[in-house]
């Protein structure tokens, strides 16, 4: 009788443990795979601890920055020479940009367009730190809901597209990087095949071994030059048009031989970002 | 001292992690290994130790990984593992290194299995091996420094600990 009872208890414990682990797996999957809204407790803890962490981390970041400057000193002269050569071209570019901006405003007025796919406001942010999950490619920045940050806003650096805002608290936000394997939804991109001419595709993934993005669905009838620039199209809700993603490294065809597949080298070095800009997109409501 | 050490290790992990590259060979896991170092100072109050581990894991989830309860559960299991292992081993520096290695490997395997089961990462045993080996250097340094520091502090402050 006692033996039967113990056997029953053992089965009961196994069942409870199995159910518990299944529930835990479900909750973990939900928290990782969806860009869920944080609860009040999570937001409070996160804001408090990260703010304290930011203050404590500041001197270490300063030391790290000074060390990087010291290490870069040798390259500074070469960079200076290159910049001097390009200085003469800057005046021309500035004049051309002013002319294009004026033309853009006039055309918008004529067409009665309030905003276009390239319009956005900028919110500057500093990276507090990177998530420690080892596999999660996410960053935490020091701007949150109180600064006007909302979910799904695009995040860029000086070199190109970094990712988008996945979760927010009052004073901090998590940025899901483009290199994150959990990034949901394909990103519509365009590849510059010649001046003013583009071929379109979808950014569907990232290969960490080769450090390349995978772009699929490119027309088979188009010749894509090596090193062609890849930018966002602005279609879809997340990313404005014209943000640099990278340059084409190699082209193959898909397994059905119906479309081309491009491997793109990212323009942003994800391990080496300190400051980012969050883009608040304006889209016409008419 | 226990709470201070937990908070210190927790914040130190964030600081070190922000200074290194993601593919570095010096990935810190100080919050986890602080459990190994601080266990003797709980003086056999195992329920408090497990509760503290669960709370630490909860904070780790919210701040560092943005998941729900994954690390809470894992830290709790690891606390039980530490209690069981230290029942059979004496608390000296060599055994502390050994237990730290066991705890580190166990943590990586559990998290890897968790994530592989929900298809958050690819089931690649090589990645698991890299995740374990890349964590060894920094964490060995951490254990080396703070084991003796805690020992010296506990002697000076006359804090009881189990042997």
């Amino acid at each position: 009788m006692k033996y039967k009872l113990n056997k029953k208890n053992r089965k009961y414990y196994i069942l409870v443990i199995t159910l518990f682990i299944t529930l835990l797996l479900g909750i973990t999957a939900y928290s990782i795979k969806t860009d869920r809204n944080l609860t009040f407790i999570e937001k409070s803890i996160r804001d408090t601890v990260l703010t304290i962490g930011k203050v404590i981390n500041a001197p270490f970041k300063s030391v790290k920055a000074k060390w990087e400057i010291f290490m870069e000193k040798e390259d500074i002269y070469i960079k200076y020479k290159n910049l001097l050569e390009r200085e003469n071209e800057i005046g021309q570019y500035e004049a051309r940009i002013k002319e294009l901006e004026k033309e853009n405003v006039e055309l918008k007025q004529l067409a009665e367009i309030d905003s276009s796919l390239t319009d956005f406001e900028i919110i500057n942010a500093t990276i507090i730190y990177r998530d420690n999950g080892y596999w999660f490619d996410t960053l935490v920045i020091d701007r949150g809901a109180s600064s006007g940050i909302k979910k799904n806003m695009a995040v860029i650096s000086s070199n190109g597209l970094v990712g988008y805002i996945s979760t927010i608290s009052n004073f901090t936000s998590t940025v899901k990087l483009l290199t994150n394997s959990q990034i949901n939804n394909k990103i519509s991109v365009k590849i510059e095949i010649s001046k003013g001419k583009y071929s379109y595709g979808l950014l569907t993934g990232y290969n960490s071994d080769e450090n390349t993005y995978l772009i699929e669905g490119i027309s088979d009838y188009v010749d894509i030059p090596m090193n062609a620039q890849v930018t966002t199209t602005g279609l879809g809700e997340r990313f404005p048009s014209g943000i640099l993603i990278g340059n084409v490294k190699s082209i193959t065809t898909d397994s059905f031989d119906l479309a081309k597949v491009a491997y793109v080298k990212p323009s942003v070095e994800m391990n080496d970002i300190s400051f980012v800009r969050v883009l608040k997109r304006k889209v016409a409501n008419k | 001292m226990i709470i201070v050490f937990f908070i210190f290790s927790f914040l130190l992990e964030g600081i070190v992690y922000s200074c290194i590259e993601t593919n570095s060979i010096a990935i810190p896991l100080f919050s986890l290994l602080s459990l190994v170092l601080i266990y003797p100072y709980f003086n056999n109050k195992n329920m408090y130790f497990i509760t503290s581990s669960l709370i630490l894991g909860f904070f780790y989830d919210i701040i560092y990984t943005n998941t729900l309860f994954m690390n809470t559960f894992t830290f709790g299991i690891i606390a039980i593992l530490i209690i069981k292992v230290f029942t059979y081993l004496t608390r000296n520096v060599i055994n502390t290194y050994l237990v730290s290695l066991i705890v580190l490997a166990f943590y990586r395997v559990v998290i890897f299995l968790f994530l592989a089961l929900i298809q958050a990462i690819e089931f690649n045993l090589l990645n698991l091996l890299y995740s374990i080996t890349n964590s060894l250097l920094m964490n060995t340094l951490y254990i080396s420094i703070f084991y003796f520091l805690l020992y010296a502090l506990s002697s000076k402050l006359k804090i009881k600990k189990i042997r």
Side-chain angles (χ1 to χ4, degrees), chain B residues 3 29 47 61 64 99 112 121 123 132 139 147 153 156:
Chain B
I3 297 171
L29 271 174
M47 278 319 292
D61 269 325
Y64 287 143
V99 174
F112 178 80
I121 56 170
F123 189 84
I132 296 171
N139 295 305
Y147 177 86
L153 261 172
K156 198 167 184 182

Side-chain angles (χ1 to χ4, degrees), chain B residues 8-50:
Chain B
F8 172 77
S9 299
F10 191 82
L11 292 173
L12 184 65
E13 183 169 346
I15 290 168
V16 171
Y17 206 87
S18 65
C19 294
I20 58 166
E21 289 183 8
T22 47
N23 296 325
S24 165
I25 58 163
I27 306 288
L29 271 174
F30 301 159
S31 307
L32 181 72
L33 294 178
S34 65
L35 296 176
V36 178
L37 287 177
I38 213 71
Y39 170 68
Y41 302 93
F42 274 86
N43 282 316
N44 282 328
K45 288 176 185 166
N46 293 334
M47 278 319 292
Y48 286 127
F49 180 61
I50 294 170

Side-chain angles (χ1 to χ4, degrees), chain A residues 20-21 24-25 27-29 31-33 36 38 42 45-46 49-50 52-53 56-57 60 64 128-136 167 174 181-182 271, chain B residues 10-11 13 15 17-19 21-23 27 58-60 62-70 73 108 111 114-115 117-121 127 130-131 134:
Chain A
F20 176 74
I21 290 174
L24 195 64
L25 283 171
I27 293 171
T28 308
S31 64
I32 289 173
K33 292 196 169 191
R36 62 190 177 91
L38 298 179
E42 282 177 296
I45 294 172
R46 220 175 146 85
V49 176
L50 289 177
I52 295 169
I56 295 171
N57 208 11
F60 297 97
K64 186 188 171 194
I128 302 176
Y129 76 99
R130 239 183 142 108
D131 266 3
N132 274 10
Y134 184 81
W135 38 81
F136 304 130
T167 55
T174 304
S181 60
Q182 291 307 308
N271 286 326
Chain B
F10 191 82
L11 292 173
E13 183 169 346
I15 290 168
Y17 206 87
S18 65
C19 294
E21 289 183 8
T22 47
N23 296 325
I27 306 288
F58 178 68
F59 275 84
Y60 199 88
I62 292 176
I63 308 296
Y64 287 143
T65 62
N66 210 24
T67 54
L68 277 174
F69 306 125
M70 186 174 75
F73 171 74
R108 285 293 192 207
I111 298 294
F114 249 106
L115 295 176
L117 271 170
I118 61 172
Q119 294 187 329
I121 56 170
N127 285 344
Y130 287 149
S131 70
N134 288 353

